[in-house]
Every structure is written in C-alpha cells, then in structure tokens.
Amino acid sequence: MLRVIIAGLSIQGFWLELPRAWSAESADVYVNVFLAGGFPDIHGMSLAGQEVSGVNARNQVGGGARVGLFPQFTERVIGIELEYFGTTGKLSATNRSGAEGRADLTTLNSMFNLVVRRPAGSVRPYGGVGIGYSGGMLHRADFPGRANRELDSTPGFAYQFIGGVQWDISTRTFLFAEYKHLATAFHWKGVALDYQANYAVGGIGWSF
C-alpha cells in the first residue's frame, strides 16, 4: 500500500512539473504588469466638421499587462507578445469658428507584438513592432453638435513601435523600462482625430 501511495505521488509530481519543464526547455515565457504615462500628439482633428486651430491632450496615465513567448527555434531571440493597456486624460480643442470643446479621453489598446531581444544575460535590451485594435472613449464630452455627453466609444486600427530594457532582480523576477509610440485614428459623431502618443512605461515581470 505504501508503495502505491509513493508511486501515485511520484506520478502526480511528474505531471505538475511537466509544464514547467516544457516551458524551460522549449521557450521563455513571461507575464508582466506596468504603469504608463502618455504624451499625445494630436493631428488632423476636426470639430463640428471644421479643422481645429488648437488642441490640447494631457494627463494621460494608465497601465496594462502582457504575456510573452520566445521559442527555442528562434534561439529565444525573436518572440511574440499579447498586450493590453490603456490610459485616460483630458482633451480640449477650438475650431476656426471659435467653437470650443472638451472631454475626458480614454484609450484602450489590444496589441500583438513581434519582439527582438538579447536572449541571455541579466540585462536584456529589446525592440519591436505591434499591430492591433484601439478603442477611444469620450467621457463627459462637451463638443458642439453632440447630444451625447456621457460616453461615446469608437474603434480604430492601431500600430506601435517599442523599445526597452529588462533587468533581473531574482531568478524569475525582472523589472523593465520601455518607450513606445502608438498611432491610431478615432471618429466619433462631430469629432475626429489622428491620435499619436509617446509612452513612458515601467513595470515588473515574472518568467516561467
């Protein structure tokens, strides 16, 4: 009976260790969470059908999370990431007729990234590109020609460029700092703009 129990525990331990062993032998897998500060640069904005003469987007703060995979067949140099992050802040504008508008602006981004990195060492620089979906939401919008002032959302195709560095603080834990540039376009009723933003990102991650 004792042998049966020991054998059963051994088999259970084998199945528990199998995913970890597979991960270690076939790929580097990690998850991370981060805070982000955005610095938007708005272009091509129209307000009530007219080009704006002045636009101000500020105080964009938020955060996100992602999971990454660097397979062995790429020598763990080239990998992919699934990422979700968002920021919220203030938007104000004036068109050529002098009509003013303001709103809270939230952007939510779901991205697929292709990343190249240094595969080994305690400090690992990396860079990449990403494509995905961006959602723009206006809150408490006070713009001419708009009846909806509570919440309005619109989707848009997005792309980004990223670059950063990871450094280990333990065997399976790392910190990272990153710059990213994201571009998309939003079209709500009475308001449209080309949204570009530079982000300063910092966070912590865990390898498996």
Side-chain angles (χ1 to χ4, degrees), residues 33-38 61-65 85-87 176 178 199-204:
V33 293
F34 56 87
L35 297 176
V61 294
F85 74 98
T87 57
F176 69 98
E178 180 179 299
Y199 294 93
V201 175
I204 185 170

Side-chain angles (χ1 to χ4, degrees), residues 8-199:
L9 292 175
S10 299
I11 293 172
Q12 184 180 27
F14 169 79
W15 284 111
L16 289 174
E17 288 295 326
L18 186 59
R20 183 179 298 177
W22 179 88
S23 175
E25 292 178 2
S26 61
D28 286 346
V29 181
Y30 60 85
V31 296
N32 62 46
V33 293
F34 56 87
L35 297 176
F39 305 91
D41 185 15
I42 306 298
H43 296 276
M45 183 174 180
S46 62
L47 181 59
Q50 298 185 25
E51 291 274 337
V52 301
S53 57
V55 58
N56 184 22
R58 62 192 186 280
N59 301 336
Q60 293 283 325
V61 294
R66 63 186 163 207
V67 58
L69 172 69
F70 282 77
Q72 180 60 40
F73 70 81
T74 70
E75 301 296 330
R76 310 191 188 208
V77 173
I78 301 173
I80 58 174
E81 293 179 336
L82 297 178
E83 177 182 29
Y84 182 80
F85 74 98
T87 57
T88 188
K90 303 292 185 180
L91 174 68
S92 60
T94 304
N95 68 13
R96 295 176 180 176
S97 298
E100 298 181 0
R102 59 182 51 85
D104 294 339
L105 173 61
T106 297
T107 61
L108 300 174
N109 311 287
S110 300
M111 308 297 294
F112 175 86
N113 302 325
L114 182 65
V115 182
V116 178
R117 69 169 189 177
R118 179 183 177 183
S122 60
V123 178
R124 298 179 298 278
Y126 62 90
V129 297
I131 59 172
Y133 164 93
S134 185
M137 295 186 293
L138 294 177
H139 310 261
R140 296 186 291 274
D142 184 12
F143 287 113
R146 285 182 52 89
N148 182 7
R149 298 192 176 188
E150 294 302 318
L151 175 64
D152 193 6
S153 62
T154 186
F157 170 80
Y159 64 90
Q160 66 176 0
F161 303 99
I162 60 177
V165 60
Q166 294 180 355
W167 63 95
D168 294 335
I169 58 174
S170 71
T171 304
R172 296 194 177 277
T173 305
F174 61 87
L175 300 177
F176 69 98
E178 180 179 299
Y179 161 83
K180 64 170 69 224
H181 177 83
L182 180 134
T184 185
F186 298 131
H187 300 273
W188 304 274
K189 182 180 179 181
V191 183
L193 56 86
D194 294 330
Y195 182 91
Q196 298 186 36
N198 299 307
Y199 294 93

